[in-house]
Amino acid sequence: AALGAGCVCLRFPKEMRAGAYTNPDAAVRRRAVELTVEAGRWAEQLGAREVVVWSAYCGYDYHLQADYDAMWARVVDPFREVCDRLPGLRVSLEYKPTDENTRFFAVPTTGAAMLLVQEVGRRNFGLTLDVGHMLVAGENPAQSAAMAARAGRLFGVQLNDGHGRGEDGLALASVHEAMALELVLWLMRTGYDGHIYFDTFPRNEDPVREAEHNIRRFKALWARAERLRAAGIEGGMARHDAMAALELLERVP
């Protein structure tokens, strides 16, 4: 199929349950950094251009458990080192607000992630935005993507859908079609040229059919976004005219 590797997505081992970058043990933090750099070396060998970092364990569960200043610094410093040691790769954080491993993540929102980008201060550091994570965080994915893209730090998007009560990993646009359409429109509008990932959980579905469905849906959404732009959707956006947008959606299939 002549497929290439887009990136290496890093997962830390369960031995780091008390934290990877944020672990109170300096030796564990050092192993987490070295594992990240190793992932980057594998990405280079595979011809990929980025490594995506998601830690299931960098956060806390209880009030009065964590020293927030120390925890934040322990996230900033490792990313600076990793970026410096992998200057030819993009290093991308996939933030998440909460899950069963960590109730409160150290970087729980797009806004917090953008603050981290600013503090890390490396041009090869940016964000991979996951739709399910943004929904759980109470965000509008298109707005989050626009924010990251405005700063030139939207490195990746992971598309899926869900009901917002947790990370459901459902097929793209299966629940929030208008939301997905707006996100695709903003990817187009901002000139996004990164990879499109589908992070879904077809536990009860044929995964091949589900993957094919996601690809078809994305292409259809992209084509419709093109038609909406040609029909003047951005004029209504400039006027902040909700009814113009809704009426245009009725007229443009």
Side-chain angles (χ1 to χ4, degrees):
L3 295 176
C7 75
V8 168
C9 294
L10 177 64
R11 297 293 183 266
F12 293 104
K14 291 183 178 179
E15 290 74 18
M16 296 181 180
R17 289 192 66 86
Y21 295 162
T22 62
N23 199 291
D25 186 333
V28 175
R29 298 199 300 272
R30 173 49 42 195
R31 289 200 298 274
V33 169
E34 296 303 325
L35 183 60
T36 308
V37 173
E38 182 183 359
R41 300 299 182 212
W42 277 105
E44 291 172 336
Q45 292 184 46
L46 289 168
R49 63 179 180 176
E50 69 183 4
V51 58
V52 176
V53 180
W54 173 68
S55 173
Y57 309 123
C58 285
Y60 60 98
D61 296 322
Y62 291 93
H63 298 291
L64 302 175
Q65 177 184 354
D67 181 331
Y68 305 124
D69 289 334
M71 181 174 64
W72 187 259
R74 288 171 181 167
V75 176
V76 172
D77 293 340
F79 274 120
R80 285 176 175 165
E81 179 180 343
V82 169
C83 287
D84 290 343
R85 292 175 63 182
L86 299 170
L89 280 182
R90 299 197 303 187
V91 179
S92 192
L93 170 69
E94 180 187 346
Y95 92 83
K96 190 175 184 180
T98 184
D99 74 8
E100 67 275 11
N101 295 294
T102 305
R103 304 306 179 192
F104 294 94
F105 278 96
V107 186
T109 65
T110 299
M114 288 303 299
L115 176 62
L116 180 66
V117 166
Q118 184 178 37
E119 291 200 25
V120 170
R122 301 296 190 270
R123 291 303 306 169
N124 59 329
F125 183 57
L127 304 181
T128 293
L129 298 181
D130 182 294
V131 169
H133 299 182
M134 291 184 282
L135 289 176
V136 173
E139 298 178 4
N140 173 13
Q143 183 181 12
S144 298
M147 184 190 311
R150 181 180 176 84
R153 301 307 176 92
L154 183 59
F155 288 179
V157 289
Q158 297 187 356
L159 302 181
N160 49 59
D161 209 337
H163 298 289
R165 298 168 296 185
E167 188 183 10
D168 298 321
L170 301 182
L172 172 63
S174 57
V175 180
H176 299 96
E177 184 171 3
M179 177 206 73
L181 176 62
E182 185 188 32
L183 174 58
V184 169
L185 187 147
W186 274 91
L187 294 177
M188 180 185 298
R189 186 174 181 179
T190 58
Y192 176 73
D193 63 352
H195 289 92
I196 299 296
Y197 304 103
F198 298 105
D199 188 357
T200 57
F201 316 146
R203 295 189 176 98
N204 299 311
E205 297 76 34
D206 181 328
V208 174
R209 289 175 60 193
E210 198 250 16
E212 292 171 343
H213 172 82
N214 284 327
I215 293 169
R216 288 195 305 272
R217 289 294 283 145
F218 179 80
K219 289 181 176 179
L221 289 166
W222 189 273
R224 191 179 185 198
E226 288 182 322
R227 293 193 295 272
L228 286 169
R229 295 188 79 189
I233 187 72
E234 286 157 319
M237 292 163 62
R239 299 189 304 274
H240 210 199
D241 190 338
M243 289 310 304
L246 293 173
E247 290 163 356
L248 199 56
L249 287 173
E250 288 181 305
R251 297 198 304 272
V252 179

